[in-house]
Amino acid sequence: MNSISSEDRVIRAIADIDRYSDYNAVTSVFSDVEERAREVDCRIKAGIIKGRLAGMPIVIKDNICVKGEITSAGSAILKNFVSPYNATVIDRIIEAGLIPVAHTNMDEFAMGSTSETSCYGPVHNPLDFNRSAGGSSGGSAACVKLGITPLALGSDTGGSVRLPASYCGLYGLKPTYGSVSRYGLIAYCSSMDQIGIIGSDVRDISELFEIIAEQKKQEVYSISGGVRVAALAGFDKRYDEFLSLIAPMVASTETVELQTLKYAVPSYYVIATAEASSNLARYDGIRYGLKGNSTEQVRTEGFGTEVKRRIMLGNFVLSHGYYDRYYQKACNVRRIIKDEITKLFEKYDVLILPTSSEGAPLLGDSLDNPLEMYKSDVYTVLANLTGCPCITIPCGKDKNGMPLGLQIMGRHNEENLLLALAECYQSRRASYEL
Ligand code: GLN
């Protein structure tokens, strides 16, 4: 199907990484990629592997383990950690004939929304060099926008695939919690961590999801009867373009209010920091990465400010006397949020809502004000707290001309419906832009 060999595509991707190095989107290029591409070319010729993505280069967020390659999660504490094994998703994509070519820059341990907390420095937005590419999978989104690779893997604990995708004018899928193996993903908040996909073409994302998902996609029955859409109140203008383009698939659209939305950010940050403080306890200067005279020295030097803040917050909310007041309470609130969303999906097939209120911020603006940064996650954390699949699509521009995103969230395991809606939107949008 593809006339260009995999080897040529990989060589071009590597050249582009070099050409766009100012964007700081890549942390390391993998070894022997051209040789691997040649092997894939042979397997394609022999008919052993086929499919739309066979022979395609792909970039991988720096918190997904690739055997023999530095996997540092954007942290100085893991700067020299060479992974002894592949994450399950890596094995799967290699088997399907994709070629992982590089690790991408990210917020340290995926904690952030702007890719500025990385020990390698910030990622620049391909649409405006002075702005953030979003986070925490900012390097993955920037690579796709720069055309280095058509697809990238990221991780999404509270929006980290969707936010950078939307800041860069791309599509980003966070699958249902647990539908893609987390084996080999460096843990941040295990009850919400989810590997996801960033791309400029929904059909590529669909195909890759099929490859990495643990189960085959479910048939979607709602499409035949028309989709019942719930639209979060307060953003009518934003939905216009989307709703007009997908109109043939829609049975009804109603505006809804979510009573529990205001509790999403507080409960997310209590749970996420609690789990992070426990997951990060393993970096003790003995087992992985950076070594030093003492655990204290290694952690002091190896962790950045944001990571330290979260470890302290997490330890606090888990400590004796505060556990019930904060951690337990946040878990109870999460249950109440889940109940409201479950009820909503009895009546509607999908919920549409903005990905963020504003487009990409200027670099430097978020770092001084962590609380503001946390609050900006209000629309994305909902899908993680509830485990629901969610896709962001590019829709509209902000006052600075930067792209905005719109999210389509659905019931567990109904990625198919979200992808079908996004694909319909993409194809009709393309023809209307011609
Ligand atoms: N911005 C959120 C946080 O810092 C989400 C990060 C993510 O999804 N990894 O926790």
Side-chain angles (χ1 to χ4, degrees):
M1 186 185 84
N2 294 302
S3 46
I4 312 168
S5 71
S6 176
E7 186 183 3
D8 285 343
R9 289 200 267 171
V10 163
I11 290 172
R12 215 213 65 197
I14 305 291
D16 281 348
I17 290 175
D18 199 39
R19 178 162 151 220
Y20 295 121
S21 59
D22 286 355
Y23 288 88
N24 204 19
V26 165
T27 57
S28 63
V29 175
F30 301 151
S31 46
D32 307 327
V33 284
E34 288 169 32
E35 197 182 315
R36 280 189 226 179
R38 278 195 291 274
E39 281 166 26
V40 167
D41 279 330
C42 291
R43 279 160 68 209
I44 294 174
K45 253 200 201 120
I48 302 167
I49 42 172
K50 32 182 146 330
R52 191 183 161 89
L53 306 186
M56 188 187 268
I58 182 170
V59 290
I60 314 292
K61 190 175 182 179
D62 195 31
N63 60 352
I64 300 174
C65 289
V66 176
K67 188 176 176 180
E69 304 294 344
I70 289 179
T71 305
S72 64
S75 180
I77 213 163
L78 285 177
K79 229 173 172 171
N80 52 20
F81 172 69
V82 176
S83 174
Y85 63 91
N86 274 338
T88 301
V89 284
I90 300 300
D91 280 338
R92 281 185 176 243
I93 62 174
I94 290 176
E95 203 186 303
L98 284 114
I99 329 276
V101 292
H103 263 143
T104 58
N105 201 358
M106 56 180 282
D107 281 298
E108 185 177 6
F109 285 106
M111 298 173 188
S113 308
T114 57
S115 293
E116 290 173 286
T117 72
S118 166
C119 75
Y120 303 100
V123 180
H124 298 263
N125 192 311
L127 298 167
D128 181 343
F129 195 78
N130 296 321
R131 291 184 185 274
S132 160
S136 61
S137 316
S140 287
C143 282
V144 173
K145 195 65 190 180
L146 290 165
I148 292 172
T149 54
L151 286 169
L153 286 182
S155 70
D156 191 313
T157 305
S160 279
V161 157
R162 290 161 287 153
L163 197 67
S166 80
Y167 283 178
C168 293
L170 297 165
Y171 295 84
L173 173 70
K174 182 208 85 87
T176 309
Y177 177 73
S179 65
V180 175
S181 169
R182 275 185 293 122
Y183 180 75
L185 169 68
I186 294 180
Y188 160 20
C189 169
S190 312
S191 76
M192 292 188 247
D193 290 343
Q194 180 61 58
I195 290 175
I197 306 166
I198 297 175
S200 49
D201 188 322
V202 181
R203 289 164 302 180
D204 290 340
I205 295 180
S206 275
E207 194 90 7
L208 184 57
F209 177 62
E210 190 86 340
I211 292 167
I212 64 173
E214 290 297 310
Q215 289 180 340
K216 286 279 145 258
K217 282 189 282 188
Q218 285 185 355
E219 286 306 314
V220 181
Y221 301 103
S222 0
I223 299 183
S224 48
V227 182
R228 295 164 303 169
V229 178
L232 182 67
F235 301 95
D236 294 353
K237 274 265 145 293
R238 289 242 200 144
Y239 306 138
D240 282 354
E241 186 191 359
F242 174 70
L243 288 171
S244 71
L245 291 180
I246 61 150
M249 291 179 73
V250 172
S252 61
T253 305
E254 276 173 45
T255 304
V256 296
E257 312 231 353
L258 290 176
Q259 305 306 324
T260 60
L261 189 65
K262 55 178 173 299
Y263 306 121
V265 165
S267 62
Y268 170 81
Y269 274 97
V270 171
I271 295 168
T273 53
E275 291 191 35
S277 68
S278 140
N279 272 326
L280 267 52
R282 76 190 69 179
Y283 304 105
D284 52 10
I286 298 165
R287 285 174 288 183
Y288 317 92
L290 203 64
K291 303 273 185 299
N293 294 329
S294 66
T295 298
E296 191 185 332
Q297 184 207 342
V298 167
R299 288 170 74 86
T300 304
E301 289 168 12
F303 287 140
T305 311
E306 184 59 29
V307 170
K308 284 177 184 153
R309 177 164 28 239
R310 297 202 188 193
I311 292 173
M312 286 193 288
L313 255 168
N315 277 314
F316 174 74
V317 299
L318 287 174
S319 60
H320 186 73
Y322 291 105
Y323 180 92
D324 289 338
R325 203 187 305 171
Y326 293 105
Y327 179 69
Q328 190 56 54
K329 192 165 179 184
C331 291
N332 296 346
V333 170
R334 180 181 193 177
R335 163 57 54 197
I336 294 166
I337 296 173
K338 271 189 183 166
D339 289 346
E340 185 176 22
I341 295 299
T342 306
K343 260 229 171 90
L344 181 93
F345 284 142
E346 282 166 11
K347 230 177 128 195
Y348 305 98
D349 300 307
V350 295
L351 168 70
I352 57 171
L353 69 170
T355 309
S356 61
S357 20
E358 300 288 327
L362 287 167
L363 286 169
D365 273 5
S366 318
L367 282 183
D368 302 336
N369 202 339
L371 219 56
E372 276 310 306
M373 187 178 79
Y374 298 170
K375 280 200 235 153
S376 72
D377 293 332
V378 53
Y379 304 117
T380 48
V381 294
L382 197 61
N384 305 85
L385 285 164
T386 57
C388 292
C390 193
I391 190 166
T392 181
I393 60 171
C395 188
K397 297 259 158 69
D398 73 2
K399 57 182 188 304
N400 302 306
M402 293 302 284
L404 289 168
L406 181 105
Q407 299 184 93
I408 319 169
M409 186 169 126
R411 298 186 196 98
H412 282 213
N413 299 316
E414 291 200 355
E415 282 84 357
N416 256 359
L417 175 58
L418 311 187
L419 289 162
L421 287 166
E423 205 178 314
C424 169
Y425 170 76
Q426 179 190 323
S427 62
R428 300 184 120 232
R429 190 175 184 237
S431 51
Y432 129 128
E433 271 178 0
L434 282 177

